[in-house]
Amino acid sequence: MPVIPKTKPYRVGRSKTGLGLFATQPIKKGTKIIRYFGPLLDSKKAEDDAIENKYLFELDKRWTIDGSIRENVARYINHSCKPNAESDVKPRKKKIVIRAIKNIAPGDEINYDYGTDYFKAYLKPIGCKCDACEKKRAKKKAEERAERARVKAKENAKDARKAEKKANKKTDELAKETAKDKAKQRAKAKAKSTSKSSASAKSDRAAAKSRRPAVGKRVKTKSSPAKTLTSRAKAA
């Protein structure tokens, strides 16, 4: 790691993606922070055009800066989709300067947008790890969790309604069966009572019939005492 003079408003430190460049002093918007430099590569030369690394910074169609050298502290600046700095490219001077586009507080990580080509080639395949993308992913995950919870709650409510409907149906069926059993019991009791009443009436009729005199027969009755005495007096 290169030694950085204390007069410089930045330091190299640990970030989410490895190493990064952090502000050690307040940096005002529009301030030049650091220069991105390294050997110039000529795309017309086969040996230069064959060089490949993630620190190549294109100035124009012909010239590219190879920022992989140790002295280029600007190579530690990470990409951000919502940066606080930008790359000020000067093709004619073959120079690149990183400039603040926001007020940067001490402790904040300095970052800039690497551009569409770099993003597609290196960042998109693995997923961008900048704060903006991390927050976007976290928000998306939270929304997905909320949606899953909503769907689950809806399903639970639906299941609860089904269970309640099933319970009500079972209660109604039980009530109907109970009412049916009671009706059967009442009918049975009524039939039994009717049968008993009929037998009793039949018995009463039989008893009454046995007490009635037979048709065409005289019933012998005892003479009263008074009548017997009169008959005796007449005989005397």
Side-chain angles (χ1 to χ4, degrees), residues 63-154:
W63 299 101
T64 299
I65 292 177
D66 181 0
S68 62
I69 59 172
R70 183 181 176 84
E71 294 77 13
N72 179 34
V73 178
R75 70 194 178 106
Y76 293 105
I77 301 176
N78 289 313
H79 164 84
S80 176
C81 293
K82 289 187 177 180
N84 52 20
E86 67 178 358
S87 57
D88 185 5
V89 182
K90 302 180 185 295
R92 289 185 180 181
K93 294 183 179 181
K94 297 180 175 58
K95 185 178 179 181
I96 299 171
V97 173
I98 308 301
R99 194 182 307 277
I101 56 174
K102 295 178 182 179
N103 291 330
I104 304 173
D108 288 352
E109 184 175 1
I110 300 166
N111 43 55
Y112 66 92
D113 190 342
Y114 284 4
T116 304
D117 293 340
Y118 188 97
F119 185 90
K120 287 181 178 179
Y122 294 99
L123 299 177
K124 191 175 181 179
I126 60 173
C128 181
K129 300 295 191 299
C130 75
D131 287 341
C133 290
E134 289 286 354
K135 287 178 181 178
K136 190 183 292 184
R137 278 192 290 271
K139 184 180 179 181
K140 187 177 180 180
K141 286 180 181 178
E143 289 174 349
E144 288 174 351
R145 285 195 299 271
E147 179 63 17
R148 286 196 297 270
R150 187 187 68 78
V151 171
K152 190 174 181 180
K154 190 175 180 180

Side-chain angles (χ1 to χ4, degrees), residues 29-46:
K29 179 180 178 180
T31 302
K32 171 189 168 183
I33 303 172
I34 192 173
R35 183 182 170 191
Y36 193 100
F37 67 95
L40 281 172
L41 304 178
D42 187 351
S43 61
K44 290 185 178 182
K45 295 180 180 180

Side-chain angles (χ1 to χ4, degrees), residues 192-222:
K192 188 175 181 181
S193 177
T194 303
S195 177
K196 194 172 181 180
S197 298
S198 178
S200 179
K202 190 175 181 180
S203 177
D204 291 344
R205 284 195 299 272
K209 186 176 181 182
S210 64
R211 288 195 298 269
R212 284 201 305 266
V215 179
K217 289 186 179 180
R218 293 181 61 128
V219 178
K220 186 178 181 181
T221 59
K222 292 181 179 181

